[in-house]
């Protein structure tokens, strides 16, 4: 918001892209790494928790991807 107010929206776009990719990467990487560590350490309860965490993160990422694809294909002026 500050970058837009100062008249440099390209900064907002670049940082939004970087932070978005970092958030997406952490939503996918954290459960995967946690599952591997729990599997190596033979910790079944932790493995279940990381599996649930991965399922929830995966569902949210899939929902976000579907919504972004649908919104990208909606022509301007139409209410899809």
């Amino acid at each position: 918001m500050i970058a837009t107010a100062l008249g440099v929206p390209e900064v907002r776009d670049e940082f939004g892209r970087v932070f978005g990719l970092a958030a997406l990467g952490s939503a996918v990487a954290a459960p995967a790494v946690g599952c591997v560590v729990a599997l190596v350490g033979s910790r079944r309860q932790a493995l279940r928790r990381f599996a649930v965490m991965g399922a929830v993160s995966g569902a949210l990422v899939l929902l976000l991807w579907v919504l972004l694809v649908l919104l990208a294909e909606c022509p301007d002026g139409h209410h899809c």
Side-chain angles (χ1 to χ4, degrees):
M1 290 177 13
I2 294 171
T4 304
L6 292 175
V8 283
E10 61 274 354
V11 172
R12 182 198 58 170
D13 293 339
E14 182 64 29
F15 278 109
R17 191 174 307 116
V18 169
F19 286 127
L21 289 174
L24 183 62
S26 65
V28 173
V33 171
C35 281
V36 169
V37 170
L39 192 61
V40 169
S42 299
R43 301 191 53 138
R44 289 183 175 238
Q45 188 176 8
L47 182 61
R48 275 187 251 134
R49 287 180 182 170
F50 279 112
V52 169
M53 181 179 165
V56 170
S57 294
L60 291 175
V61 167
L62 181 64
L63 177 67
L64 180 66
W65 178 70
V66 167
L67 288 176
L68 289 176
V69 168
L70 289 177
L71 290 176
E73 292 185 7
C74 185
D76 290 340
H78 291 85
H79 301 289
C80 298

